[in-house]
């Protein structure tokens, strides 16, 4: 449903990924008391969240290396992708738009930044917010934004079942 809202002409749309479905992707630390049903739900959802993370988050392929006359290796630090099999590789950035539940986005955020994934519940992000991570070919990851709602008016700002900023 939300995927239809962000559909943009010229952008390839993938089929829905069931690994992105809402769930509790990891246990939380500190955990406090959790019922056995909550623990079972987390144990059930974690493999899906981890499969989704491994599917969408990865370093770019190493840039092609060339030998020059001195036999030194030259490596580019920009992402390279093949546009057409008959054309040379061009330097481009690749963007992946993932539409998913806040629990999964928070889990991805922790995993990508190499933070304990059990910290996901310490982060609060608004519904319909934007999170922007940069993964460089070197493998370094940085967060450009987490849960940004600058594109929404106050009246459209919600978190869980609460409206506005006072929750």
């Amino acid at each position: 449903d939300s995927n239809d809202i962000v559909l943009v002409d010229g952008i390839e749309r993938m089929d829905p990924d069931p690994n992105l479905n809402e769930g509790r992707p990891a246990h939380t630390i500190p955990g406090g008391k959790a019922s056995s049903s909550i623990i079972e739900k987390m144990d059930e959802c974690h493999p899906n969240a981890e499969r989704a993370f491994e599917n969408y988050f990865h370093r770019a392929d190493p840039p092609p290396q060339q030998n020059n006359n001195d036999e030194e290796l030259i490596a580019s630090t920009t992402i390279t992708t093949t546009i057409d099999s008959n054309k040379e590789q061009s330097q481009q950035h690749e963007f992946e738009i993932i539409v998913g539940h806040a629990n999964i986005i928070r889990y991805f955020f922790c995993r990508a930044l190499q933070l304990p994934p059990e910290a996901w519940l310490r982060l609060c992000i608004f519904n319909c917010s934007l999170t922007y991570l940069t993964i460089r070919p070197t493998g370094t990851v940085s967060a450009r934004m987490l849960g940004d709602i600058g594109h929404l008016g106050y009246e459209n700002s919600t978190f869980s079942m609460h409206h506005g900023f006072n929750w």
Side-chain angles (χ1 to χ4, degrees):
D1 300 325
S2 299
N3 202 13
D4 293 331
I5 295 170
V6 296
L7 187 61
V8 177
D9 289 336
I11 302 295
E12 178 185 359
R13 178 182 172 168
M14 307 301 288
D15 290 331
D17 183 347
N19 291 321
L20 293 173
N21 287 347
E22 178 180 1
R24 296 181 67 92
H27 293 278
T28 55
I29 297 176
K33 292 185 179 181
S35 68
S36 59
S37 64
I38 293 290
I39 292 170
E40 287 175 19
K41 179 81 170 160
M42 284 187 261
D43 289 342
E44 186 180 298
C45 293
H46 177 75
N48 293 341
E50 190 57 29
R51 271 193 297 277
F53 178 80
E54 290 173 2
N55 184 43
Y56 296 108
F57 291 80
H58 49 83
R59 293 180 182 148
D61 292 332
Q65 297 182 343
Q66 304 169 353
N67 289 327
N68 66 10
N69 293 339
D70 297 332
E71 304 217 41
E72 293 177 359
L73 296 177
I74 301 171
S76 169
T77 58
T78 57
I79 297 173
T80 58
T81 57
T82 303
I83 301 300
D84 183 330
S85 60
N86 298 325
K87 294 182 180 179
E88 294 285 324
Q89 286 189 336
S90 62
Q91 296 178 352
Q92 291 190 5
H93 293 284
E94 179 179 305
F95 296 88
E96 299 270 345
I97 299 172
I98 300 171
V99 178
H101 190 271
N103 292 357
I104 298 297
I105 300 299
R106 293 182 286 184
Y107 176 79
F108 288 169
F109 184 86
C110 290
R111 288 280 286 116
L113 293 173
Q114 299 179 350
L115 300 171
E118 296 84 5
W120 69 273
L121 199 53
R122 297 178 196 173
L123 306 170
C124 295
I125 61 175
F126 286 93
N127 297 328
C128 197
S129 64
L130 303 174
T131 297
Y132 182 178
L133 296 169
T134 301
I135 304 173
R136 294 175 191 78
T138 60
T140 60
V141 178
S142 58
R144 297 269 176 109
M145 65 178 83
L146 171 67
D148 187 278
I149 57 167
H151 59 288
L152 297 175
Y154 176 79
E155 68 282 357
N156 294 320
S157 301
T158 60
F159 173 77
S160 190
M161 301 299 286
H162 307 284
H163 287 21
F165 304 132
N166 298 320
W167 35 269

